[in-house]
Amino acid sequence: MKNDIQIVDYIKATDPYYLQMTTNIDTFDTFFFTKQHHHYMQQALLEAEQAFMEDEVPVGAVIVHNGHIVGKGYNQVERLKDPTAHAEILAISAACQTLDSKLLSGCSLYVTLEPCPMCAGALVLSRLDRIIYSATDPKMGACGSIYDIIQDTRLNHQIEVIQGIMENESEALLKKYFQRKRK
């Protein structure tokens, strides 16, 4: 990650949830993971499981505004024969329709895999406040692992990022999918 954001490793709490602290050095905002983050990531995982059942890469996303899910999606690239039908893009479209706005200020995206460059660009354009993702994408990640589009200060909007909520569950589903594809 760039110098303007630090992500502290997870500290396993006494309950089944994890506590992580993310600090943006410029604003000194600190976010604490709660059961609410866990709940919304579970909803994104349900979307990912739907993609898995439809033989799509199992990535799911939900967008939350004022405590309510306003958009959700799962990968549908194969079904729709559309290379842009990623979970994040479909969730953005649904949220914009629900909120009757092209901008998603005040919204958070929960997604099971780190967004790719296409999705990261769309998220910046939508003016989303925060991205919470489970698993890091070591081949196409654009939220800090390979690229850092969402924190690029040359762009007119930067997005807070929180990484690692339910990482093991998301990684397990992805591994199961790719093992099945290799058989």
Side-chain angles (χ1 to χ4, degrees):
M1 292 251 127
K2 297 209 175 178
N3 291 338
D4 60 351
I5 192 166
Q6 296 176 326
I7 297 181
V8 179
D9 291 330
Y10 280 102
I11 302 167
K12 202 165 197 172
T14 55
D15 65 7
Y17 303 103
Y18 290 94
L19 174 67
Q20 180 184 28
M21 184 175 71
T22 301
T23 304
N24 181 315
I25 294 172
D26 293 335
T27 62
F28 295 99
D29 288 334
T30 301
F31 301 97
F32 291 95
F33 287 86
T34 64
K35 292 180 181 183
Q36 187 175 25
H37 290 297
H38 190 85
H39 168 74
Y40 291 126
M41 192 58 75
Q42 283 180 321
Q43 299 306 304
L45 270 167
L46 289 174
E47 294 296 312
E49 289 170 2
Q50 182 63 39
F52 180 85
M53 292 171 50
E54 293 182 20
D55 203 28
E56 298 275 356
V57 175
V59 177
V62 298
I63 295 178
V64 177
H65 182 260
N66 291 333
H68 301 294
I69 294 175
V70 294
K72 59 185 180 176
Y74 60 89
N75 276 1
Q76 297 183 48
V77 172
E78 300 301 326
R79 184 168 81 89
L80 298 177
K81 298 184 182 5
D82 179 355
T84 68
H86 290 201
E88 301 94 324
I89 301 295
L90 298 174
I92 289 169
S93 294
C96 288
Q97 191 169 37
T98 299
L99 297 174
D100 194 28
S101 175
K102 68 178 183 177
L103 301 179
L104 297 176
S105 297
C107 293
S108 295
L109 169 78
Y110 291 81
V111 62
T112 59
L113 183 65
E114 180 181 8
C116 71
M118 174 187 70
C119 293
L123 294 165
V124 169
L125 290 173
S126 72
R127 303 294 192 274
L128 200 75
D129 286 359
R130 184 173 301 111
I131 298 170
I132 301 97
Y133 70 87
S134 289
T136 299
D137 186 345
K139 294 186 179 184
M140 290 292 289
C143 295
S145 63
I146 302 297
Y147 307 103
D148 199 2
I149 292 170
I150 64 165
Q151 285 289 307
D152 191 328
T153 57
R154 296 171 294 181
L155 301 176
N156 61 355
H157 181 71
Q158 289 78 47
I159 303 172
E160 301 270 356
V161 64
I162 299 169
Q163 178 264 328
I165 295 291
M166 299 182 71
E167 183 175 19
N168 293 336
E169 293 87 341
S170 294
E171 286 178 350
L173 187 59
L174 286 160
K175 285 178 186 174
K176 185 177 176 182
Y177 172 79
F178 287 110
Q179 286 172 348
R180 184 174 76 181
K181 293 305 266 182
R182 289 182 187 112
K183 288 184 180 183

